[in-house]
Amino acid sequence: DAGITQSPRHKVTETGTPVTLRCHQTENHRYMYWYRQDPGHGLRLIHYSYGVKDTDKGEVSDGYSVSRSKTEDFLLTLESATSSQTSVYFCAFRGGEGADTQYFGPGTRLTVL
Amino acid sequence: AQSVTQLGSHVSVSEGALVLLRCNYSSSVPPYLFWYVQYPNQGLQLLLKYTTGATLVKGINGFEAEFKKSETSFHLTKPSAHMSDAAEYFCAVSSSGGYQKVTFGTGTKLQVIP
């Protein structure tokens, strides 16, 4: 167990509705990340955080926002969900000896109808 | 800039046979290299990593990989495949500094045939 959880694990929503995914870590790691996984694309970075209230964009950030008000929680929000945002979303933190490795949560499968 | 190429989106091996999953990378700085495994409906689990030092790295479940700078490769091997090795494997490259940008390959699904 990597000490990271995601909620919900599955969600089905309608186009145009807002959606928030939550990532929670228990080990006080500074860096956290949100990725999406799509067939043929591997994992692509959406946003990352390097501390409370410190966030920045990744390579596929359009349509997504994030917030980090506490070290342990990193939220991903789809302001107005679209079908192209149907994906599996993974959260990760940077840790390990040397803080050189990303460890992943179990994922959230999001379907936008 | 950094990138990862995994050769073969699907690989099939017989149980007991050698597993070889190929990964080539490009990086403008000395790379950190990783292999992750993903079982169905689960997150990515670290198999092994190379940062500095010994170029042959051993990981969990009997896997190992060798960093070959001259070939820009980091192939994953296991001498004898188990049915439980059936999963998707991702190679990744990262920089050491900053926010640690990680670039993932597109994955290789390993099928183990009894």
Side-chain angles (χ1 to χ4, degrees):
Chain A
D1 185 1
I4 183 168
T5 57
Q6 294 183 232
S7 59
R9 294 293 314 279
H10 301 270
K11 186 168 182 67
V12 179
T13 192
E14 301 279 333
T15 296
T17 60
V19 176
T20 296
L21 309 182
R22 180 178 182 248
C23 178
H24 179 78
Q25 54 120 338
T26 59
E27 299 172 359
N28 205 36
H29 297 288
R30 179 184 174 193
Y31 285 90
M32 297 183 73
Y33 310 82
W34 275 107
Y35 291 90
R36 60 177 290 173
Q37 182 181 32
D38 303 289
H41 289 276
L43 274 76
R44 293 178 291 174
L45 182 66
I46 304 171
H47 281 280
Y48 67 95
S49 170
Y50 47 98
V52 173
K53 297 184 179 174
D54 292 323
T55 65
D56 208 345
K57 297 178 180 180
E59 63 180 304
V60 290
S61 60
D62 287 349
Y64 301 95
S65 63
V66 291
S67 65
R68 194 166 177 201
S69 59
K70 297 185 290 184
T71 299
E72 58 266 35
D73 290 326
F74 191 31
L75 304 181
L76 177 71
T77 298
L78 291 65
E79 301 290 349
S80 177
T82 68
S83 59
S84 64
Q85 294 176 311
T86 293
S87 187
V88 182
Y89 292 86
F90 289 99
C91 176
F93 66 79
R94 178 174 167 184
E97 191 175 325
D100 57 15
T101 303
Q102 291 185 17
Y103 294 90
F104 288 82
T108 294
R109 183 173 296 274
L110 176 67
T111 302
V112 183
L113 301 176
Chain B
Q2 58 191 33
S3 66
V4 174
T5 301
Q6 290 185 241
L7 295 175
S9 58
H10 291 81
V11 170
S12 294
V13 299
S14 298
E15 190 175 16
L18 171 72
V19 176
L20 171 60
L21 304 183
R22 299 178 186 273
C23 173
N24 288 88
Y25 71 91
S26 69
S27 177
S28 57
V29 297
Y32 286 2
L33 295 160
F34 305 85
W35 277 100
Y36 287 88
V37 61
Q38 185 179 33
Y39 299 101
N41 300 313
Q42 294 187 25
L44 277 70
Q45 179 183 359
L46 180 70
L47 265 183
L48 50 79
K49 66 180 180 182
Y50 168 79
T51 53
T52 59
T55 57
L56 180 63
V57 292
K58 297 185 185 297
I60 62 172
N61 302 338
F63 284 92
E64 63 182 37
E66 186 170 10
F67 169 55
K68 292 188 176 181
K69 184 178 179 180
S70 61
E71 298 177 9
T72 61
S73 68
F74 192 57
H75 302 328
L76 182 71
T77 61
K78 181 175 180 178
S80 177
H82 250 253
M83 295 299 296
S84 60
D85 295 327
E88 190 161 19
Y89 294 79
F90 291 90
C91 182
V93 61
S94 84
S95 56
S96 59
Y99 72 91
Q100 194 197 30
K101 174 182 170 62
V102 179
T103 300
F104 289 86
T106 53
T108 298
K109 284 189 177 175
L110 177 66
Q111 179 186 23
V112 182
I113 303 167

